[in-house]
Every structure is written in structure tokens, then in C-alpha cells.
Amino acid sequence: MNRKKIVTFGELLLRFSKPGQLRLTQGDLFTSKYGGSEANVAVSLATQGEDVTYITRLPDTPVGHAGAMSLAELGVDTSRVLYGGQRIGTYYFEPAAGMRAAKVIYDRNGSAYSDLKPGMIPWREILKDCNYFHVSGITAAISQQAADATFEALDVADELGITVCFDINYRKNLWKYEGAEPRKTLSRMLSRCDMMFGDAIEFDWLSQHPQPPFTATDSNFTMQMKEYGEWFDELHAAYPRVKHWMMGMRNIVSSNHHTLTALLYTDGTLLQAPIMDIPDVVEPVGVGDAFMGGWLHAISLFPNDMQKQLNYSLAAAALKNTIPGDFNLSTEEEILDVKI
């Protein structure tokens, strides 16, 4: 298999949680981990043996350098990370338990990444020999300057003929800056991309077309493939540049019992991955990022078999449910061993 050069771009975060199943209002100690959607994809790719560079801006402090080191230790190239600004963005995570839903609280205002501006990152130099550029909706959600820097990168990727991979990652709680227009901005980003991933709720929001229900409680659920096909036909007509459309679907049966599947639409053909029944979920954070890491690896692993590409990507996502933290640390061999 030929290694590709892949570049991912986004904000690295420091994540805080209370030990075990404690709520954020309980106890005296916080545990910390680094994460963030685009960094998660980079780690997943590096763990599977890909050549991946991660681009972000971090404060020139021990905390910022430790974040870059956490990725470098896992095989991600962090040599082009930009340093400056005042602080690292953070988020607080409270896990689900029983009937209690998970909770995420962001603290990203004034972060080093939010102060990123066009012209700071030498995109032509970074992307000159890149095969795939991965970006998500979060890269444009933090500030107007970060959104402008994202479109600067997309301009250069277009100029160099690079395949652009997009995770819509719509997080309504992030679009707080003055003049923020998430639907307009994400639609503009999507029109510049060659492949897109999102969950069914995000596709519903983007298209303003209600999703067919995914209510599987086990692997025997029957999908409404005709309705999904019509949905993808409409989206592809609106965004004809996008060649591959990928949708992840999850049904939360209970806090630690989830079902998972995914669809892939390419050139009018709709494929479905088998439904995975996951009865012992450890942590679902980063599952979509694990799917994207699996997908970008599977393109080379199974170059002529889109069904295998889809199944492998779903297996990577399913394995992430068994791993604490943001990062999917599953190897190619482990993903291939998943019975799917």
C-alpha cells in the first residue's frame, strides 16, 4: 500500500473530566487529556501507518507544547504547528450514565487558535506535496479570523488540485462570534470539498429534510434505503463537486449500549455498512473522527472496493467506542479483525 501525505487542520483542545462517572459538580480532582476533531483524525491515521501532518496554533507555553508532544508521540507530524497567543482552548466532559446524557461545556474564547488569521500559515509550502486535506466545520466556527484562515487553506488546496475531505461537525454552541452564519459558512465550505462525512442529525440540519428514523436496538434493523437514496440525490444536486457522501448513524439504546451503521453514496450508488451492536460502550467521543481516519486509510487499503472501504471505516468507528479519551488508538490489524 502506498502511503499518502495527509494534512489535517483544526484546534487542539485540553479536555477536563472528573474521575469515573462523577459529575462535573462533584469531587475535587480533574483528569485531563488532549483532543479535538481534526487532531483525532490525525492520530487515527498515524496509528494506521499514514503520513499525516497536523496544523494548528497553540500558545507558546508548556501546556501548548505538551499538546503538540502528545500528538508527536503517537506518530503525527507536528513540525508545522504555529505558536503564539495566550491560551489553549478547553472543554469539560461529563460522561453519560444510565438515563443521564453526556454533557460537554466549551471554554474556547480567546484561545490561540481563535486568534489565527489569514497569512499566518504558509499553506502553499505545507500543502505542496499533499494528497488529502482534511478540515471540519469546527475550524470555521470559533472566530471570523479562523474561518477566513480556513477558506485561505481551501483556496490553496484548490489551486494545487488537492482532494479535500470535510466533516460537517456542526456544533451550534460554538458559533458565537459577531456575524456568525453557520448554515451559509458550512454550505460554502461544502461546495469546496470532494468528500463529506456527517451524522444523520447534521445531514438533517444541512438539508432541512427530515431524516428517515434509525431506531435499531440490534443488528436486525431494516434501513429505509429508498428514502436515504432520494435524500442523497437531492444533496448531490445541490453540491455536485462532492463525490463521496458518508453518513454515520447511531442509536443510543442506553448509555453503554449503542447501535452503529453508516451509508456511502457515490455516483448515484448507495451502500450500507452492517449494523454494529455495541453492548459495552466505554466512550463514544471521537467516533466520527475514527470513521474519517478509517476512511482516508481504507481508500488505499481497498482501492477498488467501496463496500470494503465503508465496512473498514465503520469498524474503526466501532472500536473507538471501546477506548477512553478522544483518540482512536486502533491499528489497521485490529480494525481488520473486527467481524463485520
Side-chain angles (χ1 to χ4, degrees), residues 247-263:
M247 179 192 295
M249 281 167 284
R250 175 194 298 273
N251 185 41
I252 301 176
V253 183
S254 69
S255 62
N256 64 346
H257 179 196
H258 298 182
T259 56
L260 201 66
T261 191
L263 301 177

Side-chain angles (χ1 to χ4, degrees), residues 86-143:
Q86 299 300 311
R87 61 177 294 248
I88 190 170
T90 65
Y91 81 99
Y92 297 83
F93 175 70
E94 181 179 289
M99 69 290 298
R100 190 182 81 210
K103 180 178 292 187
V104 172
I105 300 172
Y106 293 110
D107 180 14
R108 303 167 82 151
N109 291 342
S111 68
Y113 177 86
S114 72
D115 290 335
L116 186 65
K117 296 177 178 63
M120 286 185 171
I121 298 173
W123 286 115
R124 282 179 179 80
E125 184 179 338
I126 290 169
L127 297 176
K128 64 183 178 182
D129 55 351
C130 174
N131 300 103
Y132 293 91
F133 178 55
H134 174 73
V135 68
S136 93
I138 294 173
T139 63
I142 308 305
S143 67

Side-chain angles (χ1 to χ4, degrees), residues 66-214:
M69 289 170 59
S70 73
L71 301 181
E73 288 170 353
L74 295 169
V76 177
D77 176 12
T78 59
S79 63
R80 305 311 298 262
V81 167
L82 190 67
Y83 290 96
Q86 299 300 311
R87 61 177 294 248
I88 190 170
T90 65
Y91 81 99
Y92 297 83
F93 175 70
E94 181 179 289
M99 69 290 298
R100 190 182 81 210
K103 180 178 292 187
V104 172
I105 300 172
Y106 293 110
D107 180 14
R108 303 167 82 151
N109 291 342
S111 68
Y113 177 86
S114 72
D115 290 335
L116 186 65
K117 296 177 178 63
M120 286 185 171
I121 298 173
W123 286 115
R124 282 179 179 80
E125 184 179 338
I126 290 169
L127 297 176
K128 64 183 178 182
D129 55 351
C130 174
N131 300 103
Y132 293 91
F133 178 55
H134 174 73
V135 68
S136 93
I138 294 173
T139 63
I142 308 305
S143 67
Q144 185 62 62
Q145 304 98 293
D148 293 341
T150 301
F151 283 104
E152 178 188 39
L154 292 172
D155 287 341
V156 175
D158 273 354
E159 180 183 318
L160 298 177
I162 296 165
T163 299
V164 178
C165 177
F166 177 58
D167 182 342
I168 190 171
N169 260 340
Y170 172 58
R171 303 289 184 268
K172 65 180 180 179
N173 292 335
L174 292 180
W175 294 84
K176 301 299 186 183
Y177 58 87
E178 185 177 354
E181 297 181 286
R183 189 178 302 280
K184 180 179 178 180
T185 302
L186 294 177
S187 294
R188 185 181 164 207
M189 290 180 73
L190 182 55
S191 69
R192 308 285 298 279
C193 298
D194 302 290
M195 51 185 72
M196 178 197 148
F197 173 80
D199 65 30
I201 295 172
E202 289 167 329
F203 272 90
D204 188 333
W205 175 84
L206 174 70
S207 65
Q208 298 181 293
H209 181 152
Q211 60 171 304
F214 178 68

Side-chain angles (χ1 to χ4, degrees), residues 200 204 209-215 221 223-229 231 247 249:
D204 188 333
H209 181 152
Q211 60 171 304
F214 178 68
T215 57
F221 183 78
M223 302 286 292
Q224 295 177 239
M225 297 298 283
K226 180 177 181 292
E227 288 82 356
Y228 280 113
W231 197 10
M247 179 192 295
M249 281 167 284

Side-chain angles (χ1 to χ4, degrees), residues 6 53 78 231 282:
I6 303 169
T53 298
T78 59
W231 197 10
V282 174

